[in-house]
Amino acid sequence: MKRTFAILALFVAFVGYLNAQSCYWVFLTDKAGTTFDPYSYFDAKAIERYQLNNADLYDISNYPLNNSYVQQVDAIATEEVGTSRWLNAIGVMATQDQIARIEQLPFVKEVQIIATEAQIASYKVPATKANQPQLDQVLPNNSPALTEQLIRFQGAQFRDNNIDATGIRIAVFDGGFPAVNTHDAFKHLRDGGRIKATWNFCNKKENVYGWSTHGTMVLSCIAGIINGQQLGLATGAEFILARTEIESEPFKEEVWWAQAAEWADKNGANVINSSLGYGKERHFTYEMDGRSYVAKAANMAARKGMLICNSAGNEGDDSRWKTIITPADADSVLCVAGIEDNLTLYRHIEFSSYGPGADGRLKPNIAAFGHAIVANPKKDHETTEAYGTSFSSPLCAGFCACAWQTRPGLTAMQMKEEIEKSCDRYPYFDYALGYGVPQASYFIEKQHPAPEPTFSFKDTLDYVFIELPAMRSKTETDNDETSRPSIFDSKTEYQKEEVAVVDVVEEVIEVAIDEDKDSKNYTDIKSMKWPTVFFKVVNDTNGIDEYNFVEVDRPQEDLKIAIHKDGLVGRKLVVNYRGYTNVYTLNDNERKQRILDGNATKEFSWEVVDSSYHYTWDYTTHLSRTPDDLETSKVSYGGGSESSLDWAFTFGYPLPTTANEMRLGSFEGINFGFEGRWVRQLKKWYGLGIGFGWEHQRWSLPTDASQFNLIRLEDDLGMYDATTGLTYNNTDLSYRMMHRSNWNIELFQRIRLMPGGKLFSRGLHWDLGVYGNFGNYHYTTAYNYTINGTINANSEERTFYSPEFLDNYKLQWGLVSRLSWDWIGIYARYNMTNVFGNQITTLSMEPGNYYLNLPRLDVGLQIEF
């Protein structure tokens, strides 16, 4: 019995351990009795920023927390993680019992569990040797050459006008900055004394020069210079570095991010770069609506005059997570998407997350290269490659800092708007790239003439055509028109229309389509026009219903995109091509007629045709986002839905827990089974489930006499069968075997401990619950037997179906616990059927009755998929 309660104690202890790891925000009612002097608290640059942004230095959010309140909460909680002035809250680690006591304190407004976990927004690809970065021409004064990632911003215009973010202070939040204090890429920062402050929120100390190399690479995308290569634009900026993320810490990063934002405010930051966020590991997509606590902290930072650049996330190639991450979803944050590293083509990089926000907010805002050349943290004189919106965000943060140097009188929100206006697709916007890539010429040049038209709309009875002039001279013979289907083939009534054929425009765009052109000559790409048509349909609430990227493959003739007007009822068609944007809408008469004809609900459809209005294949649909793609689904961790179904194979082994239970030799008992488990995720980190399964158990029972006190089987005792003339004795036993096939049902809770996992992204999760089962079983014995004193070499097997045992092995119930990593796990199951009863009973041996006390505990492995 003691062993039984020891097992139960382990279950309880495990529950207590997990409960102790929960992290909570404790929100306070007021800041009564506190005082605040902003001029002794804030850095001089912070006060300057407050004044520029007309922010209130004496705002109550800047006041410290009531110290008495903090002390009383700390006296109950297991650990204080940190405090937030802005939220008037304390982050604590506490058990549910402790939280219940904290909630009773009169100054506690509410308590919210923290279930977030930072995701570094880098994207891992198979390791390859770093390509030599393409550079523009080195200037005569030996200024650093710009890498393509900076050329894409028209970075030469900043460099040539001595714009390097001088006077701007940038805060970088990340997982560590190893070698920043020694690496050649940051020598100019160290020599200029431009790393102004550091703080490690994870370890509560100043040292940040260790841990994750991610921060080092991110910083190089803002300000790095190495071997004559400029990796970031803001080489003249000042920096403060915050470590806010730690590997395998599922709860505390939200507190550290909020603290870091306040610390950046105090230390005078103008720009914050956050190449991390909180997404699918701990949230559902419908929660990406700008209302998480880190999003609230980010918006508060913006109101206090800081411009935040945050990675959009790297879930663009995960069909089960269809939105961005937080705090990039906050309305005041510049959410940064990724494009391919190409100066001749304009392509969304596959992994970059898509908008909109869960509330329909227009996200992402801007874009930059999602494949960057970065400082190699492990080699002081080298660069390497890195993928992810982790690097598009700091590239944009460096751009923003330089842009702000040219407009020092603008507030943070005015600057955010100007950055968006500077983008190469503005005012065109979509949920893949936002407004596009910011351009330096917007901030350097005084005049911004309207772009010249590069396409036109043409009306027919049922179609509107986006007409695209040829991009180079016609040099090849037309294909036989009879081999190309016409869009009018099935609409003969429309062939009577007089459809004019636009003359071929003899235009050669040199930079836009010559992929072989040496990109180091692209010191200024102002005139670059990409051969991609961007078009979308916008509904009456200004939301995007569908959008497309169509890449024109060097057409030899005019091309047209034919769009059926039925799909435009109640919508606007917006097109951007080679820097020019225009809008098409149906006139009132057409709209009303199509509604009367019942065509108002037709789907949007389009086709590309040539100058003769035949279908053509001289284009590539590089990206097409339809309403299904734009749906914001409720997904559980690692994908799937809020409700998920898992399947598992189990392989187990029984272990005795008391001296009264049957002892089995090594691997003399085994069970295997198959189970389906349905889980309803109440939160990303917590769910309830039910399981159904089948299992077969087998026990190989002992034959030696020392075990007879545990097994009394009447047929195993000395017995003479007059019919057969056989005598059976215990000494003649060959084996005893117990078999049981049963159906199981489980009710359990699932707690997610860690993210990760290569196969199914399930991470580390723990299940605890109860089970019940019903089984049919039989007991088998085999004997060597003697005839007239001679031992026969053969054995006789005797099988007894559904014998009676000490425990009710037909109907059972008990506890079950599982700890699983992604696809593999361990489990323990304990039979509680008669756990509080007497496990040894003295009974008279009556024919047909069998008494057996099998091990109650099963442990084993499971494979889950």
Side-chain angles (χ1 to χ4, degrees):
M1 183 64 72
K2 291 182 179 179
R3 293 284 297 275
T4 298
F5 284 108
I7 297 296
L8 294 177
L10 287 176
F11 277 109
V12 174
F14 192 31
V15 175
Y17 169 78
L18 289 171
N19 195 30
Q21 302 308 300
S22 296
C23 191
Y24 299 85
W25 277 120
V26 178
F27 294 94
L28 308 178
T29 55
D30 56 70
K31 294 184 175 182
T34 61
T35 59
F36 178 62
D37 176 13
Y39 294 94
S40 61
Y41 175 76
F42 285 117
D43 182 273
K45 282 188 70 67
I47 293 173
E48 176 186 325
R49 190 194 67 241
Y50 266 75
Q51 294 170 343
L52 172 65
N53 288 270
N54 297 314
D56 184 4
L57 284 166
Y58 291 93
D59 187 90
I60 190 63
S61 63
N62 290 335
Y63 278 62
L65 276 63
N66 183 305
N67 190 53
S68 174
Y69 296 170
V70 175
Q71 289 179 350
Q72 291 181 63
V73 171
D74 287 350
I76 299 174
T78 302
E79 174 193 351
E80 178 191 301
V81 180
T83 61
S84 170
R85 294 185 177 210
W86 293 354
L87 300 177
N88 193 23
I90 312 166
V92 298
M93 300 293 291
T95 66
Q96 290 184 359
D97 289 341
Q98 290 169 336
I99 286 299
R101 292 168 57 195
I102 290 172
E103 288 178 320
Q104 298 304 311
L105 296 173
F107 51 81
V108 172
K109 181 179 180 181
E110 65 174 323
V111 175
Q112 291 286 339
I113 194 165
I114 298 174
T116 56
E117 158 173 42
Q119 295 172 241
I120 292 292
S122 60
Y123 190 86
K124 295 182 179 180
V125 297
T128 59
K129 183 178 180 181
N131 294 326
Q132 181 65 27
Q134 295 295 316
L135 310 174
D136 68 343
Q137 293 176 331
V138 180
L139 300 185
N141 62 359
N142 291 321
S143 295
L146 300 183
T147 47
E148 284 190 348
Q149 60 207 38
L150 306 185
I151 295 170
R152 187 61 182 78
F153 292 106
Q154 299 177 325
Q157 293 211 25
F158 279 154
R159 182 193 59 190
D160 297 347
N161 287 276
N162 298 315
I163 302 299
D164 61 0
T166 296
I168 305 298
R169 187 168 292 179
I170 304 173
V172 184
F173 300 171
D174 221 288
F177 303 88
V180 167
N181 54 340
T182 59
H183 201 288
D184 287 356
F186 311 106
K187 184 177 185 299
H188 58 293
L189 300 183
R190 298 192 300 272
D191 290 349
R194 286 189 277 118
I195 299 178
K196 295 296 184 180
T198 61
W199 191 253
N200 186 330
F201 287 90
C202 309
N203 298 105
K204 296 180 174 59
K205 59 184 180 181
E206 287 189 347
N207 181 25
V208 297
Y209 300 121
W211 301 278
S212 172
T213 59
H214 184 265
T216 304
M217 296 187 286
V218 163
L219 182 60
S220 71
C221 288
I222 304 177
I225 302 175
I226 186 169
N227 298 331
Q229 306 171 31
Q230 187 170 334
L231 308 180
L233 289 169
T235 55
E238 298 176 343
F239 290 90
I240 58 175
L241 309 178
R243 181 176 180 238
T244 62
E245 193 271 339
I246 186 171
E247 193 72 26
S248 303
E249 174 47 69
F251 307 112
K252 299 179 182 178
E253 288 100 337
E254 180 176 299
V255 179
W256 294 333
W257 202 102
Q259 284 188 301
E262 295 178 26
W263 177 79
D265 177 38
K266 175 182 178 181
N267 284 280
N270 305 104
V271 177
I272 294 174
N273 181 76
S274 170
S275 288
L276 48 85
Y278 309 85
K280 67 181 181 180
E281 303 297 353
R282 293 277 168 176
H283 284 285
F284 296 111
T285 54
Y286 64 82
E287 296 175 303
M288 300 295 97
D289 58 359
R291 293 190 292 178
S292 70
Y293 289 114
V294 287
K296 290 177 181 178
N299 280 334
M300 179 73 79
R303 287 195 289 273
K304 294 176 183 297
M306 289 176 279
L307 183 64
I308 300 100
C309 291
N310 205 104
S311 302
N314 298 327
E315 285 71 47
D317 52 1
D318 185 345
S319 62
R320 299 160 299 181
W321 178 268
K322 298 180 180 180
T323 189
I324 54 174
I325 57 179
T326 190
D329 60 335
D331 57 2
S332 299
V333 169
L334 280 172
C335 173
V336 186
I339 62 172
E340 291 185 1
D341 55 329
N342 199 308
L343 293 180
T344 59
L345 298 172
Y346 202 155
R347 295 174 174 173
H348 169 271
I349 200 164
E350 183 180 17
F351 54 75
S352 179
S353 291
Y354 296 96
D359 56 353
R361 183 173 294 135
L362 302 182
K363 292 286 179 176
N365 303 82
I366 58 178
F369 278 10
H371 174 204
I373 303 300
V374 301
N376 186 339
K378 298 180 180 179
K379 297 183 179 180
D380 284 348
H381 309 286
E382 294 184 10
T383 59
T384 187
E385 293 178 286
Y387 291 78
T389 54
S390 271
F391 308 105
S392 57
S393 180
L395 288 171
C396 285
F399 179 94
C400 292
C402 291
W404 217 338
Q405 185 184 350
T406 72
R407 306 280 198 275
L410 296 185
T411 67
M413 286 299 94
Q414 290 170 336
M415 196 68 232
K416 175 178 178 289
E417 185 177 350
E418 289 296 287
I419 293 294
E420 291 174 340
K421 287 181 178 179
S422 77
C423 291
D424 52 18
R425 302 195 311 167
Y426 187 87
Y428 185 89
F429 176 95
D430 60 44
Y431 298 140
L433 301 179
Y435 292 107
V437 181
Q439 299 295 285
S441 60
Y442 181 88
F443 296 98
I444 297 299
E445 298 176 359
K446 295 181 180 180
Q447 300 296 323
H448 301 288
E452 296 183 1
T454 57
F455 64 90
S456 60
F457 294 119
K458 180 173 179 60
D459 264 315
T460 63
L461 181 61
D462 268 349
Y463 288 87
V464 58
F465 292 92
I466 306 169
E467 297 192 328
L468 311 170
M471 295 181 65
R472 60 171 46 194
S473 299
K474 187 174 183 179
T475 59
E476 297 181 2
T477 305
D478 288 339
N479 294 328
D480 182 5
E481 291 187 1
T482 61
S483 66
R484 294 173 292 165
S486 167
I487 65 168
F488 299 123
D489 284 349
S490 60
K491 302 178 178 63
T492 56
E493 64 270 26
Y494 300 142
Q495 293 183 13
K496 299 176 182 178
E497 295 184 47
E498 294 291 333
V499 182
V501 177
V502 181
D503 293 335
V504 174
V505 178
E506 303 278 337
E507 181 181 3
V508 178
I509 306 298
E510 294 181 355
V511 175
I513 60 177
D514 190 351
E515 298 181 16
D516 298 325
K517 191 173 182 65
D518 187 353
S519 62
K520 70 182 180 181
N521 292 324
Y522 298 154
T523 56
D524 182 1
I525 61 168
K526 176 185 174 182
S527 61
M528 183 176 292
K529 306 297 181 184
W530 292 268
T532 303
V533 187
F534 306 100
F535 61 97
K536 63 182 178 179
V537 282
V538 180
N539 57 43
D540 54 7
T541 62
N542 208 35
I544 302 172
D545 287 344
E546 183 173 343
Y547 58 97
N548 300 272
F549 296 7
V550 175
E551 200 169 275
V552 182
D553 297 337
R554 304 185 182 189
Q556 306 300 317
E557 57 183 323
D558 293 355
L559 289 185
K560 301 170 179 62
I561 300 176
I563 297 171
H564 202 286
K565 290 182 177 180
D566 283 350
L568 296 179
V569 177
R571 293 166 162 177
K572 294 183 292 185
L573 171 65
V574 187
V575 183
N576 177 279
Y577 182 52
R578 294 165 54 202
Y580 172 67
T581 300
N582 204 355
V583 180
Y584 176 89
T585 57
L586 297 177
N587 62 48
D588 286 343
N589 289 334
E590 284 185 303
R591 181 178 56 82
K592 291 176 182 178
Q593 186 60 51
R594 292 180 186 279
I595 292 174
L596 289 174
D597 292 341
N599 296 326
T601 59
K602 294 291 184 66
E603 292 184 358
F604 177 76
S605 62
W606 58 275
E607 293 288 349
V608 178
V609 296
D610 62 15
S611 59
S612 302
Y613 293 89
H614 288 82
Y615 292 124
T616 182
W617 294 270
D618 201 12
Y619 72 95
T620 301
T621 305
H622 181 64
L623 181 146
S624 180
R625 299 284 283 179
T626 67
D628 288 341
D629 297 317
L630 301 178
E631 178 187 357
T632 302
S633 60
K634 298 180 179 182
V635 298
S636 64
Y637 62 82
S641 64
E642 238 181 353
S643 300
S644 61
L645 181 62
D646 301 333
W647 301 96
F649 289 104
T650 59
F651 307 89
Y653 182 75
L655 292 177
T657 58
T658 70
N660 295 329
E661 293 177 357
M662 177 67 65
R663 291 299 192 270
L664 305 176
S666 299
F667 298 102
E668 290 180 345
I670 193 168
N671 57 65
F672 59 89
F674 182 74
E675 186 171 355
R677 301 171 190 140
W678 180 85
V679 181
R680 170 72 174 180
Q681 298 294 147
L682 303 181
K683 293 288 185 181
K684 269 303 185 68
W685 58 274
Y686 183 80
L688 296 176
I690 184 170
F692 298 93
W694 173 88
E695 181 181 43
H696 182 80
Q697 298 171 301
R698 189 195 74 177
W699 296 270
S700 180
L701 307 179
T703 60
D704 59 295
S706 65
Q707 297 291 326
F708 292 167
N709 63 319
L710 299 181
I711 178 170
R712 298 188 176 100
L713 298 168
E714 187 268 339
D715 282 273
D716 287 349
L717 302 179
M719 175 181 168
Y720 173 74
D721 189 328
T723 303
T724 62
L726 303 180
T727 300
Y728 304 109
N729 295 292
N730 282 311
T731 56
D732 297 327
L733 280 173
S734 176
Y735 63 83
R736 291 181 174 128
M737 195 73 69
M738 169 87 169
H739 296 269
R740 184 172 187 268
S741 295
N742 50 273
W743 295 97
N744 295 322
I745 183 171
E746 289 182 8
L747 297 175
F748 61 92
Q749 57 183 338
R750 174 166 292 181
I751 299 174
R752 186 138 189 268
L753 306 177
M754 288 173 54
K758 297 294 184 182
L759 230 92
F760 301 111
S761 302
R762 287 192 177 97
L764 181 67
H765 61 268
W766 175 65
D767 296 344
L768 177 66
V770 295
Y771 76 90
N773 61 36
F774 171 81
N776 293 314
Y777 54 95
H778 63 273
Y779 169 72
T780 302
T781 60
Y783 305 89
N784 297 316
Y785 59 87
T786 61
I787 299 177
N788 300 322
T790 303
I791 299 177
N792 192 297
N794 298 315
S795 296
E796 179 174 327
E797 186 175 279
R798 298 169 65 87
T799 301
F800 305 91
Y801 291 96
S802 300
E804 297 179 9
F805 292 109
L806 177 64
D807 286 333
N808 180 5
Y809 291 111
K810 185 172 291 185
L811 292 169
Q812 297 182 97
W813 71 275
L815 298 177
V816 62
S817 179
R818 288 182 293 268
L819 191 65
S820 302
W821 171 253
D822 196 33
W823 62 274
I824 191 167
I826 57 175
Y827 75 89
R829 186 175 56 195
Y830 192 75
N831 178 11
M832 298 281 291
T833 309
N834 290 321
V835 72
F836 299 109
N838 186 3
Q839 293 184 294
I840 288 295
T841 303
T842 302
L843 295 172
S844 61
M845 292 183 295
E846 301 175 0
N849 290 330
Y850 306 89
Y851 302 95
L852 186 65
N853 193 14
L854 293 172
R856 298 180 178 276
L857 177 66
D858 285 335
V859 297
L861 298 175
Q862 70 169 15
I863 297 175
E864 192 174 36
F865 59 95

